Amino acid sequence: MTTDSPLRIDHWIGNAPVASAARDEVRDPGRLADVVGLVARGGTYEVDLAVRAAAEAFKTWRETPVETRAALLRQAADLLEAEAPAVVGLMARESGMLVGTNTAEIGMAANIVRDNAEAGAAFLAPEAYEDAESWVGVEKRPIGVIAAIVPWNAPIILAMRKVSPALVCGNTVVVKPAPTAPIGLSLLLEKMAALFPPGVINVVHGGAEVGRALATHPLVGKVSFTGGGTVARAIMKDAAEGLKGVQFELGGNDPAIILEDADLDLAIPRIVGGAFRRSGQFCFAVKRVYAPSSLYDEVVARIRAEVDKFRVGHPLEQGVTFGPINNAGQYRALQGLLARTRASGATVEELGSWVSEKSEADGYYMRPVLVSDIDPEAELVQVEQFGPLLPVVRYDDLDAVIDSINAGELGLGSSIWTRDTSRAVAVARELETGMTFVNNAGTSRLGQKNIPFGGVKQSGIGRESSPIGLREYIDYHAINYHR
C-alpha cells in the first residue's frame, strides 16, 4: 500500500524532459511498500545527448559576463528556498532523512550558491605582472562540461557544491543524482535550469553505466564526485582514458578528541548531534570518540543519556527524531558490523525508543548504538561505519591517540573539545585531516563560506566551497608579451 501515487521522473536535457523506456523504482526506506517514484534509467545514449547539449551551451555561457552568471545564481538560491516546502516531505520519503533536516539542508545549499556567486568575480579577475622586458597576464578560463556525480545522503548541498562554482566560472554541467534519492534534487534542478539558457544544467539518471559514460565521454572536461573510495577509483581509471581532471570528496573516519578540561555540558550534546544526525549517514559525522580515563565513565554515561532521547521511526511520523537507513546495502553492512562488534566483547547498547514498533519488513530501521569498553584497534574504531554506531575509546596517552588516528588511511574531519584554545590549535596541527573543528562537530556560517571543504589521503582529491573550491573549475591561460 502506498501513501501517494509514484512520481514519474525523467532526465532533464536542454531544459526539456527526456524519457527512457526503462524506469527504476525509488522506494521509501522507512515504508518499503511505498514506491515514491519511477525514475528514467539512462545509459550511454542519454549521457551523450546531455553532454552534447552542455557542450553546445558552453559556447555562449562561457562568454556571458561573470556578473550575469552570478546574478542568475543568486536567483537560483532564492528559488531553492522558495521551493523547499514543496519538496522536503518528498525528500523524507525517498531518503529517510527528517523533514527538518531537509529544510536546513536546502537553506545551507542556498547559502552555498550565494557564496559562490559572491566570490566569482574577484576570483576570476585576471592577474598582470610587468617589468622592463615584458608583460605577463594570467587568465582563468572555464574547463567546459563538468560531470557532477552526487550521493544520496545530502543531495542538495552536495550538488550545489559542484553546480554553483562550476556555473559561476562559466562551465556547464551534467548532474547524475544517486539512484536511491534522486527525486527532490531532480525537481529542484529542473526549476533552477529554467533560469539559465538551455543546456547549462542537465540531469541524467541511472547507475554505474551512466557514471562510466560520463567519466569517459570525450566532451566532459572534469568529473566531480562525492561518495566512496571504491567508486572514486573506478571513476579515476575511466577518466584517465581522456586525461581529464577529477575532484573527489570521499569518506572520513572523523575522531572527536575530548581533553581533560572539556566543558562536557557543551560537548556531549554537540558530539551526539555530530554523530547521529542523518542517522550517522554523512561524511564528516563524528565516527569515534576518544575520552581520557579520568572522564571516561562520565562521558559514556552522558552520551548514553543523550542518545537515549532519540525517538525512532518514519520521518513523517509525529515525534520522530531518528529516521531509517537509506538503502538495503548500507543497512546490511551496518547489521554485519554491529554483529561483529557484539562478538568482540565490547559493551554494546541499543538506545532510543520506537515511536511505533518497526520490523525489517517495514523498513531499514536501526536504533542508535553506543559502544564502550572497546579496543582502540577494533574494526568499528578503524573503519568509516556511515551509520548510527558510535564507539567511545578510553585513552591515557594523547600522543598515542594522535599516532593511531594519523596511521589511518582516511583524513577528512576531526574535532577537539577543550577550554584551552592554544592547546586545541596545537593538537589540531598534529592531526592529518583536512579540517578540524574545535568545540563543535561542523562548520560555522563563517566556516561554510571560507573553509576549503575536503580531506587528505584517501578522503579525497581537491576541495569544495570557499574561493579555493572555485579553482577546481578553471584552467589557466598565460600570455607573455615581450617588449
Side-chain angles (χ1 to χ4, degrees):
M1 182 175 181
T2 61
T3 57
D4 287 294
S5 298
L7 290 173
R8 293 179 69 84
I9 302 295
D10 292 329
H11 314 290
W12 191 258
I13 299 172
N15 278 6
V18 174
S20 293
R23 290 186 179 268
D24 292 314
E25 290 183 344
V26 175
R27 289 183 177 265
D28 185 332
R31 295 172 180 157
L32 292 177
D34 182 354
V35 179
V36 183
L38 298 170
V39 180
R41 184 194 307 159
T44 55
Y45 170 77
E46 289 83 3
V47 167
D48 185 62
L49 199 65
V51 171
R52 291 188 184 280
E56 185 63 27
F58 176 65
K59 295 175 184 177
T60 52
W61 181 246
R62 67 180 299 174
E63 303 300 332
T64 303
V66 64
E67 293 81 8
T68 303
R69 300 195 299 252
L72 288 171
L73 283 168
R74 285 191 288 271
Q75 290 182 42
D78 293 342
L79 181 147
L80 284 174
E81 290 178 329
E83 292 293 326
V87 299
V88 290
L90 181 62
M91 290 170 61
R93 290 175 58 213
E94 66 172 332
S95 70
M97 305 301 169
L98 303 178
V99 171
T101 299
N102 297 331
T103 302
E105 177 184 345
I106 293 175
M108 288 181 63
N111 282 333
I112 288 168
V113 175
R114 293 188 182 103
D115 291 343
N116 282 294
E118 178 185 338
F123 172 77
L124 292 170
E127 301 170 17
Y129 310 91
E130 190 172 4
D131 65 13
E133 294 182 350
S134 74
W135 171 87
V136 171
V138 180
E139 301 170 346
K140 297 168 183 171
R141 294 180 171 179
I143 294 169
V145 179
I146 304 297
I149 303 177
V150 181
W152 48 262
N153 60 315
I156 316 301
I157 283 178
L158 298 174
M160 291 307 114
R161 280 187 180 161
K162 304 175 190 306
V163 171
S164 60
L167 296 192
V168 80
C169 288
N171 304 280
T172 55
V173 297
V174 179
V175 181
K176 178 196 172 304
T180 60
I183 299 171
L185 174 60
S186 298
L187 295 175
L188 290 174
L189 285 172
E190 289 176 18
K191 296 277 189 179
M192 279 183 62
L195 300 173
F196 296 84
V200 172
I201 297 175
N202 307 275
V203 182
V204 179
H205 299 284
E209 181 184 359
V210 168
R212 186 167 195 277
L214 285 168
T216 56
H217 198 290
L219 294 180
V220 169
K222 188 165 191 174
V223 181
S224 178
F225 167 74
T226 300
T230 300
V231 175
R233 292 181 188 93
I235 291 171
M236 199 168 189
K237 290 176 181 177
D238 289 336
E241 293 183 18
L243 291 178
K244 57 173 57 78
V246 295
Q247 182 273 318
F248 294 148
E249 196 268 284
L250 307 176
N253 188 12
D254 303 38
I257 303 173
I258 298 175
L259 303 185
E260 294 86 348
D261 67 338
D263 180 349
L264 296 185
D265 290 336
L266 176 148
I268 298 305
R270 291 183 177 181
I271 288 172
V272 169
F276 291 100
R277 188 168 68 253
R278 297 182 180 275
S279 300
Q281 300 168 105
F282 64 105
C283 60
F284 64 102
V286 172
K287 310 296 197 313
R288 45 186 168 160
V289 177
Y290 291 90
S293 290
S294 60
L295 296 177
Y296 187 81
D297 291 341
E298 181 180 4
V299 166
V300 170
R302 282 175 174 253
I303 292 177
R304 179 187 299 114
E306 196 71 22
V307 174
D308 207 36
K309 296 176 184 177
F310 283 117
R311 299 273 286 156
V312 184
H314 190 276
L316 297 184
E317 284 184 277
Q318 187 70 29
V320 166
T321 59
F322 193 93
I325 304 306
N326 173 260
N327 59 78
Q330 187 63 20
Y331 175 78
R332 286 193 294 267
L334 288 167
Q335 290 295 323
L337 182 57
L338 176 59
R340 293 191 296 277
T341 301
R342 286 188 189 282
S344 74
T347 300
V348 176
E349 301 174 83
E350 293 186 59
L351 300 167
S353 58
W354 297 103
V355 169
S356 57
E357 195 70 28
K358 297 289 191 299
S359 70
E360 286 194 2
D362 297 316
Y364 305 125
Y365 288 101
M366 292 182 67
R367 288 163 58 197
V369 176
L370 174 64
V371 180
S372 56
D373 304 315
I374 188 169
D375 189 303
E377 301 305 313
E379 179 188 17
L380 180 60
V381 180
Q382 296 300 321
V383 302
E384 180 188 29
Q385 66 272 50
F386 214 76
L389 287 75
L390 182 66
V392 183
V393 180
R394 183 193 306 269
Y395 77 87
D396 295 300
D397 183 345
L398 180 59
D399 289 336
V401 169
I402 293 170
D403 288 344
S404 177
I405 292 167
N406 290 346
E409 63 178 14
L410 299 174
L412 183 57
S414 54
S415 60
I416 299 167
W417 304 81
T418 176
R419 291 181 170 91
D420 188 333
T421 303
S422 60
R423 191 179 183 205
V425 172
V427 173
R429 287 175 173 157
E430 292 187 59
L431 294 172
E432 294 175 3
T433 61
M435 304 171 291
T436 300
F437 313 112
V438 178
N439 293 333
N440 214 325
T443 55
S444 65
R445 178 69 187 99
L446 183 67
Q448 292 164 17
K449 188 172 182 178
N450 293 285
I451 284 177
F453 191 98
V456 299
K457 300 189 283 191
Q458 298 296 306
S459 286
I461 296 174
R463 291 293 187 272
E464 294 187 311
S465 298
S466 83
I468 290 171
L470 292 170
R471 295 180 187 174
E472 301 293 337
Y473 298 100
I474 54 98
D475 283 326
Y476 291 93
H477 177 241
I479 302 170
N480 192 178
Y481 178 83
H482 295 260
R483 301 187 192 282

